[in-house]
Amino acid sequence: EVVLTQSPGTLSLSPGERATLSCRASQSVGSDLAWYQQKLGQAPRLLIYDASNRATGIPARFRGSGSGTDFTLIISTVEPEDFAVYYCQQHNNRPPIIFGQGTRLDIK
Amino acid sequence: QVQVVQSGAEVKKPGASVKVSCKTFGYSFTSYYIHWLRQAPGQGLEWMGLIIPNGGSTSYAQKFQGRVTMTSDTSTSTVYMELYSLRSEDTAVYYCARERRLRHFDYLFAFWGQGTPVTVSS
């Protein structure tokens, strides 16, 4: 079973800065990697799928990259509404469906 | 537009069961698969299983096999998740989520319900 490890656990930034979040898989997942954003008290929101494709309505400041075992989510210029927890997820079309433990993006 | 609305919070005693509903609006109910996930307090996300609303075929995560049943009602565009033999570790927010693509097993959760808190306590 794949294990997804996200780093850092918490990232403290100011609005306007660049955020770089990492997700590492214990074995290759190809490009079957998604990213979700979850704000406090809300359901998650799909941001990125297939490692680099933005979901409908997601702003261009969110960019995903990577393949195999190493993936990155970059927020080019953090906006106030971007402070949340971010999860990666492998979606290789069969269970078990695995999520990372999350990275919290905090206001510095 | 697509909307997913879940039933309200539940409090149950250990050993009981809970049934959560997930009503959908704004798209062809039978054309998209529905997943159930949960999130324990302060924890990450856990996939529980999925249902194909047209016909009711299901696939459950191994952890929940024998303890969960997912059903669908096409007349009301609603799916249900029933979890049995509840224990304290089942305390969580339960979410339903619609698949991203029509008739595809992408395991991508594009539209989410608001979540249903379930508390298991004696």
Side-chain angles (χ1 to χ4, degrees):
Chain A
E1 182 174 303
V2 173
V3 176
L4 298 177
T5 303
Q6 293 186 239
S7 61
T10 302
L11 183 59
S12 297
L13 295 172
S14 300
E17 293 191 289
R18 176 185 177 98
T20 303
L21 289 70
S22 174
C23 177
R24 177 163 290 179
S26 59
Q27 62 194 74
S28 177
V29 297
S31 295
D32 296 330
L33 196 287
W35 291 92
Y36 295 81
Q37 176 194 67
Q38 187 177 32
K39 297 180 182 179
L40 190 64
Q42 296 185 17
R45 177 173 70 147
L46 176 64
L47 298 176
I48 301 286
Y49 63 94
D50 292 347
S52 60
N53 291 321
R54 275 190 301 277
T56 302
I58 301 303
R61 64 180 182 274
F62 291 92
R63 181 166 60 88
S65 64
S67 66
T69 60
D70 288 295
F71 299 87
T72 303
L73 174 68
I74 290 175
I75 310 173
S76 57
T77 306
V78 174
E79 299 287 341
E81 62 267 27
D82 298 338
F83 292 98
V85 179
Y86 292 82
Y87 293 98
C88 59
Q89 176 226 338
Q90 67 86 6
H91 63 92
N92 63 354
N93 301 344
R94 60 186 182 276
I97 304 305
I98 303 297
F99 289 85
Q101 83 281 14
T103 289
R104 180 180 305 277
L105 178 58
D106 276 351
I107 300 176
K108 190 173 182 179
Chain B
Q1 75 276 23
V2 176
Q3 285 188 282
V4 183
V5 180
Q6 298 182 222
S7 49
E10 302 266 11
V11 179
K12 296 291 182 181
K13 293 193 182 305
S17 61
V18 67
K19 190 171 186 176
V20 180
S21 69
C22 170
K23 186 171 176 61
T24 68
F25 303 87
Y27 71 94
S28 173
F29 175 70
T30 56
S31 297
Y32 292 83
Y33 310 150
I34 297 284
H35 300 263
W36 287 91
L37 304 95
R38 74 179 187 179
Q39 186 171 37
Q43 302 301 308
L45 296 158
E46 182 175 31
W47 182 81
M48 299 179 67
L50 69 86
I51 183 166
I52 300 174
N54 190 16
S57 295
T58 55
S59 174
Y60 302 138
Q62 189 169 6
K63 175 177 179 176
F64 298 101
Q65 291 271 3
R67 209 163 65 91
V68 70
T69 299
M70 298 175 188
T71 55
S72 68
D73 181 347
T74 56
S75 69
T76 59
S77 300
T78 303
V79 297
Y80 299 89
M81 186 281 299
E82 189 165 16
L83 188 62
Y84 311 97
S85 303
L86 291 168
R87 34 210 189 228
S88 59
E89 310 89 88
D90 295 317
T91 293
V93 177
Y94 289 76
Y95 293 103
C96 61
R98 200 204 80 176
E99 185 62 81
R100 188 182 73 90
R101 283 196 296 172
L102 179 126
R103 297 191 194 97
H104 268 79
F105 290 104
D106 287 332
Y107 295 91
L108 287 169
F109 315 116
F111 296 93
W112 294 67
Q114 81 276 21
T116 297
V118 175
T119 302
V120 183
S121 174
S122 54

